[in-house]
Amino acid sequence: MARKSVKAVEADDVAPGERSGSVIAVDRALRLLGVFTVEHPLLALAEMSRLTDMHKTTALRLARTLANARYMVQQSDGSWRLGPAAGWLGARYQASFDVNRTVEPALIELTKTTGESASFYVREGNHRMCLMRIEGPSSIRHHVRIGALIPLADKGAAGRIILAFSGARGESYEEIRRKGYAITSGEREPGVASIAAPVFGPNWRLLGSIVVSGPASRLSRAKLTRHAELVVRAANGLSYALGGGYKADSTESRTRTRRKS
C-alpha cells in the first residue's frame, strides 16, 4: 500500500468546519498545547494525537516545531510536556491580568438585569472574602463591605457554592452541584436572601462564587429561581474569561460537578 505524503496526511486532519483560508498550522499548534493539564502534564504522542484528532505524523511535526521554540519538551521516555516558554507566556499573562477588570463589568451587568446587589467571593481558608461588590439601585438593600471575611460555616448561598464545588458531601450539596446554583433565605443573616453560582479558572479549579443578594421581602424564592438563568450565565461567562474555557446556554445542564474523592 502506498504511503501518504505529509501534505496528504495534513489534508486528512482538516476538520470539516475549518476554513481553507485559516491559519491551520497555528490552530493545530494551539490545540496541541491545550491538551496538557495539571492532571496530565505528561502525554505520549499517541495520546496527543487522540486528544487533538490529528494524525501522529502531524502531531509529531508540530511538537518538534514547538520544542524548537521551547514551548514543548520531549522526555527521555518519549513523552512530551510543556516547555519553559509556555511558562514564561503564562507568567506574562498573570502579570498583565487584573481580575477586577473582568469581574466588575459582569457584576455591573448583573445588577442592572436583576435590580439587586451583586458580589464576587473567593475562598480564604475557612472563610469567604468579598473581593468585589456592586450595590443595587434600591436604598433598601443588603450591605457587605469589600474585603469582609465571612466564615464558610455560616453558609449563605455564596458559601454553599464554595463548599459544594470544593467537594462537600451531603444531599444538599449534591443538589447544588446538579443545579449549578444555590438559593438561601435567612440562612446566614435574617431577612436576607441570595442566589449564587460557581466561577471556575484554568483546569476547572474553583475560583469563587458570584452572588445576587437583597432583602428577603423583595426576593422570594420564586423570584430568585427566575434570576437563576442570569446568575449562572454570568458565572459561566466569567469562567470562560478567567480561563475555564467553558461557555454554555442552559442552566442545569451547564454545571460540571467536580467532586473530591
Side-chain angles (χ1 to χ4, degrees):
M1 182 181 292
R3 296 181 62 187
K4 290 185 178 182
S5 67
V6 171
K7 286 186 178 180
V9 168
E10 289 178 358
D12 287 347
D13 285 337
V14 178
E18 285 184 320
R19 299 192 307 272
S20 59
S22 67
V23 187
I24 296 171
V26 176
D27 289 341
R28 289 176 179 155
L30 292 174
R31 279 162 51 198
L32 197 63
L33 291 172
V35 298
F36 295 93
T37 66
V38 173
E39 293 82 5
H40 301 288
L42 297 174
L43 293 172
L45 177 62
E47 192 70 2
M48 292 192 300
S49 173
R50 183 184 68 81
L51 292 171
T52 58
D53 292 323
M54 293 182 201
H55 193 280
K56 286 184 182 179
T57 305
T58 304
L60 180 59
R61 180 177 58 81
L62 286 171
R64 287 174 173 169
T65 300
L66 289 165
N68 288 336
R70 305 186 73 188
Y71 280 96
M72 288 179 65
V73 173
Q74 188 172 26
Q75 304 289 97
S76 58
D77 64 357
S79 63
W80 293 84
R81 65 175 175 83
L82 293 178
W88 297 332
L89 201 62
R92 293 182 199 125
Y93 169 77
Q94 291 288 350
S96 63
F97 184 76
D98 182 356
V99 67
N100 289 342
R101 292 180 183 176
T102 303
V103 174
E104 186 176 30
L107 295 183
I108 290 173
E109 181 63 23
L110 203 50
T111 297
K112 286 180 180 178
T113 54
T114 64
E116 301 293 345
S117 300
S119 310
F120 180 63
Y121 287 88
V122 295
R123 184 167 190 166
E124 288 288 343
N126 293 322
H127 294 73
R128 57 179 166 104
M129 183 185 75
C130 182
L131 188 67
M132 176 162 287
R133 182 174 174 85
I134 301 298
E135 297 290 355
S138 176
S139 58
I140 302 174
R141 55 179 180 252
H142 172 225
H143 294 277
V144 176
R145 176 178 54 84
I146 292 177
L149 284 171
I150 301 170
L152 285 172
D154 288 355
K155 300 184 179 68
R160 282 192 172 273
I161 283 291
I162 291 174
L163 289 171
F165 289 89
S166 294
R169 297 181 182 276
E171 179 54 35
S172 63
Y173 294 114
E174 289 288 353
E175 183 180 2
I176 289 170
R177 286 188 283 263
R178 284 194 299 268
K179 287 184 174 180
Y181 63 88
I183 290 176
T184 61
S185 183
E187 183 174 72
R188 190 187 72 81
E189 193 174 336
V192 175
S194 59
I195 178 170
V199 175
F200 299 97
N203 300 308
W204 288 100
R205 180 174 61 88
L206 180 69
L207 293 181
S209 58
I210 189 170
V211 58
V212 166
S213 61
S217 58
R218 196 165 62 227
L219 286 175
S220 65
R221 188 172 188 86
K223 189 170 185 180
L224 288 170
T225 301
R226 289 197 297 273
H227 286 331
E229 184 74 20
L230 297 171
V231 176
V232 175
R233 185 183 295 124
N236 285 342
L238 275 180
S239 295
Y240 188 83
L242 296 172
Y246 179 56
K247 205 169 186 178
D249 297 312
S250 67
T251 302
E252 297 203 10
S253 63
R254 274 188 273 220
T255 307
R256 287 200 176 185
T257 57
R258 297 187 57 185
R259 295 170 53 189
K260 291 185 178 179
S261 57

